[in-house]
Amino acid sequence: MPPEVPEEINGYIHVGWSEPLENIRQYTRIHAVYERAFTIGDTIAGIGSENGFTVERHMNEMVNTLKFDGEKIYVDAYGQDPVYLASEEDVLYVIDRYEFDDYTDWHKSEWIGVPPDLEDWMLIDILSLQEEMFAYSEGTYTLDQSDYDELFEIDIDTINAVALEIDAKGMHFRVSFYDGNAEEVFVYHINETSVELPEYIEE
């Protein structure tokens, strides 16, 4: 009988043994074989798909939630009234409720001016992630400081470190700042997020 070994160690899962365990007739050195349970490459590939994903940015008691589903995006910034964004033939539309009708109906209108800055709402530009930006050690990925400028719009000199863990639920970023504060960003429901637009009035 083979010895009992942990099913998972620091993000790696036990997938078998280095040699067959049957018909052993002489001294043979055999070791447990582990493979990365959830790879950053597979996760990033899922984020880039058209099947959708959800991002939550946690800032103390406030949470930003963004749900991506192809050309449709649900945005709940700072836990306030949510809005929807939808692109149609390279035109960006916003679907929102307004004070003039006591926020009862949804209205669809063309977005006027500069498009909204989704990266700022997410903190991290999730759509620009690349596997080579990260180093891996003991279950945690660490973002290379040379890539801060590409992924953050905030003052990168305030960032102390960016750590990432990946599991079956998705990605968990922890952004630590030199002032002792930290923010967390979760990316989950990868390939499972869908955004259903509400019934709206065309403007």
Side-chain angles (χ1 to χ4, degrees):
M1 291 292 293
E4 291 188 7
V5 297
E7 286 298 314
E8 182 174 342
I9 301 176
N10 290 332
Y12 287 78
I13 56 173
H14 179 231
V15 295
W17 302 91
S18 59
E19 302 290 342
L21 300 181
E22 298 82 19
N23 300 320
I24 299 175
R25 301 185 183 279
Q26 61 186 18
Y27 176 81
T28 304
R29 184 181 295 273
I30 299 175
H31 61 267
V33 176
Y34 287 82
E35 290 182 358
R36 190 81 54 82
F38 308 100
T39 69
I40 189 171
D42 291 343
T43 305
I44 289 175
I47 291 174
S49 73
E50 296 181 356
N51 293 327
F53 60 96
T54 298
V55 180
E56 281 188 3
R57 174 186 177 184
H58 290 243
M59 306 156 285
N60 296 322
E61 300 300 318
M62 295 187 297
V63 178
N64 283 356
T65 302
L66 294 93
K67 298 180 180 181
F68 293 83
D69 180 12
E71 299 299 314
K72 300 176 292 183
I73 305 173
Y74 166 93
V75 180
D76 185 356
Y78 307 106
Q80 300 175 354
D81 293 330
V83 301
Y84 296 83
L85 303 173
S87 293
E88 299 175 8
E89 299 180 353
D90 296 326
V91 177
L92 180 63
Y93 295 91
V94 59
I95 301 170
D96 200 354
R97 292 179 292 192
Y98 301 101
E99 185 178 6
F100 69 81
D101 65 354
D102 296 324
Y103 302 99
T104 54
D105 292 320
W106 292 92
H107 299 266
K108 177 185 176 184
S109 57
E110 184 175 343
W111 185 283
I112 305 300
V114 179
D117 195 343
L118 300 180
E119 293 85 358
D120 188 41
W121 288 341
M122 293 188 292
L123 179 62
I124 302 171
D125 183 359
I126 300 299
L127 295 171
S128 295
L129 293 174
Q130 298 178 37
E131 184 173 0
E132 55 268 21
M133 293 177 172
F134 296 85
Y136 182 84
S137 178
E138 298 182 354
T140 302
Y141 293 92
T142 304
L143 178 64
D144 192 291
Q145 290 185 345
S146 64
D147 292 307
Y148 286 3
D149 192 49
E150 182 170 352
L151 297 182
F152 291 90
E153 293 199 354
I154 62 173
D155 182 359
I156 61 174
D157 291 334
T158 65
I159 302 173
N160 182 24
V162 181
L164 164 65
E165 294 182 351
I166 298 177
D167 60 21
K169 296 180 181 179
M171 311 176 85
H172 173 203
F173 292 88
R174 181 174 177 82
V175 181
S176 303
F177 298 94
Y178 282 110
D179 64 6
N181 291 319
E183 292 189 24
E184 294 181 297
V185 177
F186 298 86
V187 185
Y188 58 98
H189 292 164
I190 299 171
N191 294 329
E192 298 177 359
T193 296
S194 62
V195 174
E196 297 295 329
L197 299 179
E199 293 187 10
Y200 53 78
I201 300 171
E202 292 271 7
E203 295 296 305

